[in-house]
Amino acid sequence: MRYGSARILVRIAAAMLLAASADASRAASPRPVEDTLEQRMQACVACHGERGGGVAGAAFPRLAGQPAAYLAAQMKAFREGTRTYAPMNFLMARQSDAYFAEIAVWFASQRPDPRVVEARRGAAVDRAALAAGQALVQKGRPDDELPACVSCHGAGLGGRTPAIPALAGMPRDFLIEQVGSWKTGSHRSPEPDCMSRIARRMSGADIVAAATWLSLQQPDAGPEPKSDALPLACGRG
Ligand code: HEC
Ligand code: HEC
């Protein structure tokens, strides 16, 4: 499994989510334990961190501070199978759009955990590759018609409403996996699929360099507002 053995975590998480749906259908009966969204989202902590703030040393993405519509769209994509990662497909399978919207708004309003990036700093990195990654993210490569990542993902890489995700402080291996799967065509987004076009203009070394630099940036910035001036049209965002 790409992210290590997650089977036990998923079993616990699924039990919590199923308990939550059962509770909802028995809404009239008194409950011994307070049932809050935060409590139900404990099901996500092992992989996504406390309040979705992220975890160091694993390839799980943080959810905190991401644009809400982005999170909701991804949960739907896992439910419908257009995005595949077996544990997430399983967890989202029976949930409704309304529940996704509620979960998304809650995570969007949480703060990323700054300790995640701190924990990664200090590891040896190739300085030249890091500089190349930074240049690619901030300036793109006009000769190859590769737009700067910041032009869509925001100057502070905190994403853009409604549905362009933040990249700052995301795990390196997660970023490589995502961009790599657009490049090979194993993952597609709704047309016009700007990320597939962008990923195909990147070499393997470009992807690793950009991902390494991004994973070391503190996620200080929140999402920027929607823009009508993106360098490429995107089906979402
Ligand atoms: C077993 C670990 C695990 C558990 C438990 C888990 N997730 Fe995930 N989640 C992942 C991984 C890994 C990904 C990235 C998968 C991929 O490669 O596309 C992901 C992706 C996501 C994404 C898309 C994020 C992005 O930036 O693209 C959302 C939203 C999400 N999960 C929500 C949840 C919620 C809500 C819960 C709890 C109900 C949860 N997850 C529980 C491992 C987990
Ligand atoms: C033209 C606008 C645009 C540009 C430029 C752009 N992106 Fe994106 N990116 C998007 C959109 C839109 C999405 C959401 C796709 C979806 O909903 O499936 C996205 C999603 C992503 C994701 C998924 C993150 C997650 O949490 O799931 C990664 C990784 C990513 N982009 C990396 C990059 C990198 C690296 C660059 C620069 C080389 C870049 N992007 C440039 C529009 C853009």
Side-chain angles (χ1 to χ4, degrees):
M1 187 175 274
R2 274 190 273 143
Y3 298 90
S5 176
R7 212 170 291 160
I8 292 173
L9 297 177
V10 171
R11 233 181 258 159
I12 297 168
M16 292 174 93
L17 284 180
L18 286 177
S21 339
D23 263 9
S25 61
R26 274 191 265 108
S29 64
R31 289 196 204 105
V33 183
E34 198 196 353
D35 174 29
T36 63
L37 191 64
E38 178 172 0
Q39 215 171 51
R40 282 183 251 153
M41 294 307 110
Q42 289 294 319
C44 327
V45 168
C47 298
H48 293 290
E50 282 294 335
R51 299 171 159 262
V55 289
F60 304 125
R62 79 177 149 86
L63 307 176
Q66 287 284 27
Y70 177 72
L71 295 175
Q74 298 308 312
M75 288 186 271
K76 277 187 222 174
F78 283 120
R79 183 185 64 199
E80 275 137 38
T82 53
R83 182 169 174 183
T84 49
Y85 173 63
M88 284 300 306
N89 298 123
F90 179 74
L91 282 175
M92 299 297 134
R94 289 163 183 276
Q95 311 300 332
S96 69
D97 286 4
Y99 195 28
F100 288 155
E102 198 188 336
I103 292 173
V105 166
W106 187 80
F107 280 114
S109 69
Q110 305 302 321
R111 293 268 180 133
D113 182 346
R115 291 171 304 178
V116 171
V117 169
E118 270 161 37
R120 287 183 199 133
R121 288 183 172 166
V125 282
D126 175 345
R127 300 244 147 237
L130 209 55
Q134 176 173 12
L136 209 60
V137 170
Q138 293 180 333
K139 301 193 182 105
R141 199 166 49 223
D143 287 353
D144 295 330
E145 294 181 50
L146 180 60
C149 316
V150 293
S151 58
C152 294
H153 289 273
L157 296 157
R160 187 184 291 285
T161 57
I164 301 185
L167 302 178
M170 284 291 184
R172 174 178 176 272
D173 290 352
F174 168 75
L175 294 168
I176 294 172
E177 171 77 32
Q178 296 304 309
V179 180
S181 66
W182 273 304
K183 184 176 169 68
T184 60
S186 64
H187 178 61
R188 293 226 164 81
S189 292
E191 287 293 340
D193 183 354
C194 58
M195 276 312 299
S196 288
R197 289 181 178 89
I198 288 164
R200 286 197 300 264
R201 294 169 196 177
M202 297 174 83
S203 67
D206 287 341
I207 295 172
V208 171
T212 305
W213 186 77
L214 285 165
S215 70
L216 295 170
Q217 306 311 304
Q218 274 297 359
D220 294 328
E224 286 184 13
K226 183 177 170 61
S227 164
D228 292 326
L230 303 183
L232 287 175
C234 303
R236 242 188 239 129

Short mmCIF file of all heavy atoms in Angstrom, two decimals, residues 66 70 74 83 146-149 151-153 163-167 170 174-175 178-179 182 187 189-190 194-195 198 202 210 214 230-232 234 236-237, ligand 2:
data_model
loop_
_atom_site.label_atom_id
_atom_site.label_comp_id
_atom_site.label_asym_id
_atom_site.label_seq_id
_atom_site.Cartn_x
_atom_site.Cartn_y
_atom_site.Cartn_z
N GLN A 66 -7.98 24.35 3.83
CA GLN A 66 -8.20 24.21 2.39
C GLN A 66 -9.55 24.85 2.02
O GLN A 66 -10.46 24.87 2.83
CB GLN A 66 -8.25 22.72 1.99
CG GLN A 66 -6.92 22.01 2.02
CD GLN A 66 -6.05 22.38 0.81
OE1 GLN A 66 -6.18 23.47 0.24
NE2 GLN A 66 -5.14 21.50 0.43
N TYR A 70 -13.26 22.82 -2.49
CA TYR A 70 -12.27 21.84 -2.96
C TYR A 70 -12.41 20.54 -2.17
O TYR A 70 -12.46 19.45 -2.75
CB TYR A 70 -10.83 22.40 -2.82
CG TYR A 70 -9.82 21.36 -3.24
CD1 TYR A 70 -9.68 21.03 -4.58
CD2 TYR A 70 -9.08 20.65 -2.30
CE1 TYR A 70 -8.80 20.04 -4.99
CE2 TYR A 70 -8.20 19.65 -2.70
CZ TYR A 70 -8.07 19.35 -4.03
OH TYR A 70 -7.22 18.35 -4.43
N GLN A 74 -13.51 16.78 -3.60
CA GLN A 74 -12.64 15.60 -3.52
C GLN A 74 -13.35 14.44 -2.81
O GLN A 74 -13.20 13.28 -3.20
CB GLN A 74 -11.31 15.93 -2.83
CG GLN A 74 -10.48 16.97 -3.57
CD GLN A 74 -10.27 16.64 -5.04
OE1 GLN A 74 -9.89 15.53 -5.38
NE2 GLN A 74 -10.52 17.61 -5.91
N ARG A 83 -11.63 9.50 -8.19
CA ARG A 83 -10.31 9.60 -7.55
C ARG A 83 -10.15 8.34 -6.71
O ARG A 83 -11.08 7.99 -5.97
CB ARG A 83 -10.24 10.85 -6.67
CG ARG A 83 -8.87 11.02 -6.03
CD ARG A 83 -8.71 12.38 -5.38
NE ARG A 83 -7.44 12.43 -4.67
CZ ARG A 83 -7.03 13.46 -3.95
NH1 ARG A 83 -7.80 14.54 -3.85
NH2 ARG A 83 -5.87 13.43 -3.33
N LEU A 146 4.94 26.44 -19.35
CA LEU A 146 4.60 25.94 -18.01
C LEU A 146 4.33 27.14 -17.10
O LEU A 146 5.24 27.90 -16.78
CB LEU A 146 5.78 25.11 -17.47
CG LEU A 146 5.61 24.49 -16.09
CD1 LEU A 146 4.41 23.54 -16.08
CD2 LEU A 146 6.87 23.73 -15.70
N PRO A 147 3.05 27.35 -16.72
CA PRO A 147 2.75 28.53 -15.91
C PRO A 147 3.24 28.36 -14.47
O PRO A 147 3.40 27.23 -13.99
CB PRO A 147 1.21 28.62 -15.95
CG PRO A 147 0.73 27.28 -16.37
CD PRO A 147 1.85 26.55 -17.05
N ALA A 148 3.47 29.47 -13.79
CA ALA A 148 3.88 29.43 -12.39
C ALA A 148 2.75 28.85 -11.55
O ALA A 148 1.58 29.19 -11.75
CB ALA A 148 4.20 30.83 -11.90
N CYS A 149 3.11 27.98 -10.60
CA CYS A 149 2.09 27.38 -9.73
C CYS A 149 1.35 28.47 -8.93
O CYS A 149 0.15 28.37 -8.70
CB CYS A 149 2.71 26.39 -8.76
SG CYS A 149 3.93 25.27 -9.51
N SER A 151 0.41 31.30 -9.82
CA SER A 151 -0.61 32.07 -10.55
C SER A 151 -2.01 31.51 -10.30
O SER A 151 -2.99 32.24 -10.37
CB SER A 151 -0.28 32.11 -12.05
OG SER A 151 -0.20 30.79 -12.56
N CYS A 152 -2.12 30.24 -10.00
CA CYS A 152 -3.43 29.66 -9.66
C CYS A 152 -3.54 29.35 -8.17
O CYS A 152 -4.56 29.62 -7.54
CB CYS A 152 -3.66 28.38 -10.45
SG CYS A 152 -3.83 28.66 -12.23
N HIS A 153 -2.48 28.76 -7.61
CA HIS A 153 -2.55 28.30 -6.21
C HIS A 153 -2.32 29.42 -5.19
O HIS A 153 -2.31 29.15 -3.99
CB HIS A 153 -1.54 27.16 -5.99
CG HIS A 153 -1.94 25.88 -6.67
ND1 HIS A 153 -2.77 24.94 -6.09
CD2 HIS A 153 -1.65 25.40 -7.91
CE1 HIS A 153 -2.94 23.93 -6.92
NE2 HIS A 153 -2.28 24.17 -8.04
N ALA A 163 -12.15 26.30 -5.52
CA ALA A 163 -11.71 24.89 -5.47
C ALA A 163 -10.29 24.65 -5.96
O ALA A 163 -10.00 23.62 -6.56
CB ALA A 163 -12.71 24.01 -6.24
N ILE A 164 -9.38 25.61 -5.74
CA ILE A 164 -7.96 25.32 -6.02
C ILE A 164 -7.27 25.12 -4.67
O ILE A 164 -7.33 25.99 -3.81
CB ILE A 164 -7.28 26.46 -6.83
CG1 ILE A 164 -8.02 26.65 -8.17
CG2 ILE A 164 -5.81 26.12 -7.08
CD1 ILE A 164 -7.39 27.66 -9.11
N PRO A 165 -6.64 23.95 -4.48
CA PRO A 165 -6.10 23.62 -3.14
C PRO A 165 -4.81 24.37 -2.80
O PRO A 165 -4.09 24.79 -3.69
CB PRO A 165 -5.83 22.12 -3.25
CG PRO A 165 -5.55 21.89 -4.70
CD PRO A 165 -6.44 22.85 -5.45
N ALA A 166 -4.54 24.46 -1.51
CA ALA A 166 -3.25 24.96 -1.01
C ALA A 166 -2.18 23.91 -1.29
O ALA A 166 -2.47 22.71 -1.29
CB ALA A 166 -3.36 25.22 0.49
N LEU A 167 -0.95 24.36 -1.51
CA LEU A 167 0.16 23.43 -1.70
C LEU A 167 1.23 23.58 -0.62
O LEU A 167 2.01 22.65 -0.38
CB LEU A 167 0.82 23.66 -3.07
CG LEU A 167 -0.08 23.51 -4.31
CD1 LEU A 167 0.73 23.83 -5.58
CD2 LEU A 167 -0.70 22.12 -4.40
N MET A 170 2.48 20.78 2.13
CA MET A 170 1.95 19.43 1.86
C MET A 170 3.12 18.43 1.80
O MET A 170 4.23 18.80 1.42
CB MET A 170 1.21 19.40 0.52
CG MET A 170 -0.14 20.05 0.57
SD MET A 170 -1.25 19.05 1.57
CE MET A 170 -2.76 19.96 1.36
N PHE A 174 3.26 13.04 -1.22
CA PHE A 174 1.86 13.24 -1.65
C PHE A 174 1.84 14.09 -2.93
O PHE A 174 1.14 13.76 -3.89
CB PHE A 174 1.07 13.93 -0.53
CG PHE A 174 -0.28 14.44 -0.96
CD1 PHE A 174 -1.34 13.57 -1.16
CD2 PHE A 174 -0.48 15.79 -1.19
CE1 PHE A 174 -2.58 14.04 -1.58
CE2 PHE A 174 -1.71 16.28 -1.60
CZ PHE A 174 -2.76 15.40 -1.80
N LEU A 175 2.62 15.17 -2.93
CA LEU A 175 2.65 16.06 -4.10
C LEU A 175 3.19 15.33 -5.33
O LEU A 175 2.63 15.45 -6.43
CB LEU A 175 3.52 17.30 -3.80
CG LEU A 175 2.96 18.23 -2.70
CD1 LEU A 175 4.03 19.24 -2.28
CD2 LEU A 175 1.71 18.96 -3.19
N GLN A 178 0.50 12.98 -6.62
CA GLN A 178 -0.63 13.64 -7.30
C GLN A 178 -0.22 14.13 -8.68
O GLN A 178 -0.90 13.85 -9.67
CB GLN A 178 -1.15 14.82 -6.46
CG GLN A 178 -1.73 14.43 -5.10
CD GLN A 178 -2.86 13.42 -5.21
OE1 GLN A 178 -3.80 13.60 -5.97
NE2 GLN A 178 -2.77 12.34 -4.47
N VAL A 179 0.87 14.89 -8.74
CA VAL A 179 1.27 15.46 -10.03
C VAL A 179 1.68 14.32 -10.98
O VAL A 179 1.34 14.33 -12.16
CB VAL A 179 2.40 16.51 -9.87
CG1 VAL A 179 2.80 17.08 -11.22
CG2 VAL A 179 1.94 17.64 -8.93
N TRP A 182 -1.32 12.71 -12.62
CA TRP A 182 -1.86 13.50 -13.75
C TRP A 182 -0.96 13.33 -14.97
O TRP A 182 -1.43 13.26 -16.10
CB TRP A 182 -1.95 14.99 -13.38
CG TRP A 182 -3.22 15.39 -12.71
CD1 TRP A 182 -4.49 15.22 -13.18
CD2 TRP A 182 -3.36 16.07 -11.44
NE1 TRP A 182 -5.40 15.75 -12.28
CE2 TRP A 182 -4.74 16.28 -11.23
CE3 TRP A 182 -2.46 16.54 -10.49
CZ2 TRP A 182 -5.24 16.93 -10.10
CZ3 TRP A 182 -2.95 17.19 -9.37
CH2 TRP A 182 -4.33 17.37 -9.16
N HIS A 187 -4.74 9.67 -13.26
CA HIS A 187 -5.75 10.51 -12.61
C HIS A 187 -6.15 11.63 -13.55
O HIS A 187 -5.30 12.21 -14.22
CB HIS A 187 -5.20 11.10 -11.30
CG HIS A 187 -6.19 12.00 -10.60
ND1 HIS A 187 -7.41 11.55 -10.15
CD2 HIS A 187 -6.14 13.31 -10.30
CE1 HIS A 187 -8.06 12.56 -9.60
NE2 HIS A 187 -7.32 13.64 -9.67
N SER A 189 -8.89 15.16 -13.87
CA SER A 189 -9.84 16.08 -13.25
C SER A 189 -10.84 16.51 -14.30
O SER A 189 -10.61 16.31 -15.50
CB SER A 189 -9.09 17.27 -12.67
OG SER A 189 -8.29 16.84 -11.58
N PRO A 190 -11.96 17.14 -13.86
CA PRO A 190 -12.97 17.57 -14.86
C PRO A 190 -12.35 18.49 -15.91
O PRO A 190 -11.51 19.31 -15.60
CB PRO A 190 -14.00 18.33 -14.01
CG PRO A 190 -13.80 17.83 -12.62
CD PRO A 190 -12.37 17.46 -12.49
N CYS A 194 -6.73 21.34 -16.37
CA CYS A 194 -5.48 22.12 -16.44
C CYS A 194 -4.31 21.38 -15.78
O CYS A 194 -3.18 21.44 -16.26
CB CYS A 194 -5.67 23.50 -15.80
SG CYS A 194 -6.22 23.47 -14.08
N MET A 195 -4.55 20.66 -14.68
CA MET A 195 -3.44 20.00 -14.00
C MET A 195 -2.81 18.89 -14.85
O MET A 195 -1.62 18.67 -14.80
CB MET A 195 -3.85 19.46 -12.63
CG MET A 195 -3.81 20.48 -11.50
SD MET A 195 -2.28 21.49 -11.40
CE MET A 195 -1.04 20.24 -11.15
N ILE A 198 -0.56 20.73 -17.25
CA ILE A 198 0.63 21.24 -16.55
C ILE A 198 1.59 20.09 -16.23
O ILE A 198 2.79 20.17 -16.47
CB ILE A 198 0.19 22.00 -15.29
CG1 ILE A 198 -0.45 23.33 -15.71
CG2 ILE A 198 1.35 22.21 -14.32
CD1 ILE A 198 -1.25 24.01 -14.63
N MET A 202 5.91 18.92 -17.25
CA MET A 202 6.96 18.81 -16.23
C MET A 202 7.71 17.49 -16.40
O MET A 202 7.10 16.46 -16.70
CB MET A 202 6.33 18.86 -14.81
CG MET A 202 5.62 20.17 -14.50
SD MET A 202 4.75 20.12 -12.90
CE MET A 202 6.09 20.48 -11.77
N ALA A 210 9.86 20.66 -7.37
CA ALA A 210 8.76 21.52 -6.91
C ALA A 210 8.16 20.96 -5.63
O ALA A 210 7.90 21.70 -4.67
CB ALA A 210 7.68 21.62 -8.01
N LEU A 214 7.98 22.86 -2.01
CA LEU A 214 6.65 23.12 -1.45
C LEU A 214 6.47 22.50 -0.06
O LEU A 214 5.86 23.10 0.82
CB LEU A 214 5.56 22.57 -2.39
CG LEU A 214 5.31 23.38 -3.67
CD1 LEU A 214 4.51 22.57 -4.67
CD2 LEU A 214 4.60 24.70 -3.34
N LEU A 230 -6.81 33.21 -14.78
CA LEU A 230 -5.88 32.08 -14.64
C LEU A 230 -5.16 31.84 -15.97
O LEU A 230 -5.76 32.06 -17.03
CB LEU A 230 -6.64 30.81 -14.22
CG LEU A 230 -7.45 30.89 -12.92
CD1 LEU A 230 -8.09 29.53 -12.61
CD2 LEU A 230 -6.61 31.37 -11.75
N PRO A 231 -3.91 31.37 -15.93
CA PRO A 231 -3.16 31.18 -17.18
C PRO A 231 -3.70 30.05 -18.07
O PRO A 231 -3.40 30.00 -19.26
CB PRO A 231 -1.74 30.86 -16.70
CG PRO A 231 -1.90 30.41 -15.29
CD PRO A 231 -3.10 31.12 -14.75
N LEU A 232 -4.47 29.14 -17.50
CA LEU A 232 -5.13 28.07 -18.27
C LEU A 232 -6.52 27.92 -17.68
O LEU A 232 -6.72 28.16 -16.50
CB LEU A 232 -4.42 26.73 -18.07
CG LEU A 232 -3.06 26.47 -18.72
CD1 LEU A 232 -2.53 25.11 -18.25
CD2 LEU A 232 -3.19 26.48 -20.23
N CYS A 234 -9.53 25.88 -16.07
CA CYS A 234 -9.62 24.67 -15.24
C CYS A 234 -11.08 24.32 -15.02
O CYS A 234 -11.91 25.21 -14.79
CB CYS A 234 -8.98 24.91 -13.87
SG CYS A 234 -7.25 25.44 -13.92
N ARG A 236 -12.32 22.81 -12.52
CA ARG A 236 -12.64 23.14 -11.13
C ARG A 236 -11.74 24.28 -10.72
O ARG A 236 -10.58 24.30 -11.09
CB ARG A 236 -12.37 21.94 -10.24
CG ARG A 236 -13.60 21.41 -9.54
CD ARG A 236 -13.22 20.36 -8.53
NE ARG A 236 -13.88 19.10 -8.83
CZ ARG A 236 -13.24 17.94 -8.91
NH1 ARG A 236 -11.95 17.87 -8.73
NH2 ARG A 236 -13.91 16.84 -9.15
N GLY A 237 -12.26 25.19 -9.93
CA GLY A 237 -11.40 26.25 -9.44
C GLY A 237 -11.87 27.60 -9.92
O GLY A 237 -11.52 28.61 -9.41
C1 HEC B 2 -4.12 27.08 -14.36
C2 HEC B 2 -4.19 26.95 -12.92
C3 HEC B 2 -3.20 26.03 -12.21
C4 HEC B 2 -1.82 26.10 -12.26
C5 HEC B 2 -0.94 27.05 -13.06
C6 HEC B 2 -1.35 25.06 -11.38
N1 HEC B 2 -2.41 24.39 -10.81
FE1 HEC B 2 -2.30 22.81 -9.54
N2 HEC B 2 -4.33 22.73 -9.43
C7 HEC B 2 -5.19 23.53 -10.14
C8 HEC B 2 -6.56 23.09 -9.91
C9 HEC B 2 -7.82 23.70 -10.52
C10 HEC B 2 -6.49 21.99 -9.04
C11 HEC B 2 -7.64 21.13 -8.53
C12 HEC B 2 -7.87 19.98 -9.48
C13 HEC B 2 -9.08 19.15 -9.14
O1 HEC B 2 -10.02 19.67 -8.56
O2 HEC B 2 -9.07 17.96 -9.46
C14 HEC B 2 -5.06 21.78 -8.73
C15 HEC B 2 -4.57 20.79 -7.91
C16 HEC B 2 -3.23 20.57 -7.66
C17 HEC B 2 -2.72 19.56 -6.76
C18 HEC B 2 -3.54 18.61 -5.88
C19 HEC B 2 -3.38 19.02 -4.43
C20 HEC B 2 -4.27 18.32 -3.46
O3 HEC B 2 -4.30 18.70 -2.27
O4 HEC B 2 -5.00 17.40 -3.85
C21 HEC B 2 -1.36 19.63 -6.82
C22 HEC B 2 -0.36 18.76 -6.07
C23 HEC B 2 -1.02 20.70 -7.73
N3 HEC B 2 -2.18 21.25 -8.24
C24 HEC B 2 0.27 21.08 -8.03
C25 HEC B 2 0.61 22.12 -8.89
C26 HEC B 2 1.97 22.51 -9.19
C27 HEC B 2 3.22 21.87 -8.60
C28 HEC B 2 1.89 23.56 -10.08
C29 HEC B 2 3.02 24.32 -10.76
C30 HEC B 2 3.99 23.52 -11.48
C31 HEC B 2 0.47 23.79 -10.32
N4 HEC B 2 -0.26 22.91 -9.58
C32 HEC B 2 -0.01 24.78 -11.18
C33 HEC B 2 -4.85 24.59 -10.95
C34 HEC B 2 -3.56 24.96 -11.28
#
